[in-house]
Amino acid sequence: MKTLIPASCFTNAEIFSREQSVFGQGIWQLAGTTVELHDHNDFVRRNIGGIPVVVQNFHGKLRAFHNVCSHRFAPIQTEDCGNRKLTCAYHGWTYDQDGVPLGVPHNEEWYGLDRAKKQCLALRQFQLEQCGKFVFVKIERGGPSLREFLGEWFEFFEKMSNSFGSSLFKTEIDAKCNWKLLVENGFDDTHVEFVHPQTLGTVEFTDFEWKGDARDSAEVLLHDDGTAPDSFGVPQLNHALRHSAAFIDMSDRQVASFESFYEPIFPQRPYRSRQYLHVNLFPNIIITSLMGYYYILLNFEPKSASETVIHFYVLPTMRPDDAPPLPHDFLHHLGLASLGTYTEDIAMQEKLQSTGPSVDRPGIFGMREDKMKAFEAAYLCAMGMNLVTAA
């Protein structure tokens, strides 16, 4: 099986710009979690489709705004996250939950803005919806709701995220590679024994079940027989083969080993499983979980055709109110251990990025790599690119 996405899609600046419009601005994008947006004035800052966005908590109500002051266009929130009023650090303009600059220093003597004029200077507001503790933002108006976008997976993600506890480990990583390489690496289980021999490769995986969106539509999209029509702009196909999950079995010995260590720390986890879970939320989110004890969340924020900001979370499961505190530095060490494994992947994808400009033919997918081919088909479909020509 040949790969579908042309090599130029991993390096070309014009294609990247189109992706920013199609994916970044045109569909729902993860902006954060309510774990980090729990209190009044909590905020997270993101770049979504090339647009600087801030999500701010106003007494329990979440709002998403263009993170650019109406006065002289300075960024309002400059840290990745924190707790601070929606106040521009340059000249002190402060905005309310409707994005209106009600707090303007020296207004009477310098600006003379009445309420009507202030309302005309309101920040651009974006659509914001939640699925459990996940917070999503959409730049373009209209289109499907978040529930429609997630489809049959909405309840799954809602249940999963509602099991998140009140603490997290979070960091950002600058990766020198295209975001699609990182996504495809998440689908790739054939590299584990070679890239992670001393980390993930030591886990005793035995079998797995993969579940994906509209799996019956795979042959329509992938059309190995070459009989597909010339155009794949059919709207309903844009919703096929997006979100997926792999439910991976481990040996009884391995399960018992993890249970002996984690069960005393998380005795009543809401999402109980004896499996390793690997979830892909189209187009740029990967979530993994070890038996429901904790979750690793990776959100890939494209920065350029050859650079990606990775928002890396470790989210422990919920614990009983009367449970003793987590062991000292437990979350920190868990985060560093998880990062250790994932940096092995990043290093490999950066090497792939360096060879991309020299590639002039499709690659090859084996039988175990059909999940990547499904992703590439969904990507090309969303981009309105002809699969026959692309392949």
Side-chain angles (χ1 to χ4, degrees), residues 154-287:
F154 188 93
E155 286 75 17
F156 177 84
F157 290 118
E158 183 177 46
K159 179 181 179 181
M160 174 196 293
S161 66
N162 282 336
S163 71
F164 296 165
S166 59
S167 58
L168 59 78
F169 172 95
K170 179 184 176 185
T171 190
E172 281 71 43
I173 308 164
D174 283 317
K176 305 299 182 183
C177 61
N178 188 275
W179 67 275
K180 296 185 294 299
L181 291 177
L182 296 165
V183 172
E184 292 197 355
N185 178 77
F187 284 115
D188 183 359
D189 60 3
T190 63
H191 76 282
V192 173
E193 63 179 301
F194 307 106
V195 179
H196 310 292
Q198 303 302 320
T199 52
L200 195 59
T202 62
V203 180
E204 298 170 3
F205 298 122
T206 59
D207 199 2
F208 74 95
E209 179 185 11
W210 185 65
K211 297 181 180 180
D213 274 2
R215 194 65 180 131
D216 293 340
S217 301
E219 292 308 312
V220 177
L221 282 173
L222 304 181
H223 61 272
D224 288 335
D225 59 359
T227 60
D230 290 337
S231 174
F232 278 79
V234 183
Q236 59 266 30
L237 291 183
N238 287 338
H239 294 276
L241 300 170
R242 291 188 171 208
H243 318 304
S244 63
F247 301 85
I248 306 168
D249 295 328
M250 297 177 288
S251 70
D252 290 340
R253 190 203 69 82
Q254 186 76 80
V255 169
S257 174
F258 286 136
E259 285 180 335
S260 66
F261 180 79
Y262 288 106
E263 195 67 25
I265 303 173
F266 305 106
Q268 299 178 22
R269 64 193 192 280
Y271 183 80
R272 302 188 70 86
S273 170
R274 289 173 58 85
Q275 296 174 307
Y276 181 82
L277 176 66
H278 191 289
V279 181
N280 291 269
L281 197 157
F282 186 85
N284 59 342
I285 298 169
I286 293 176
I287 306 167

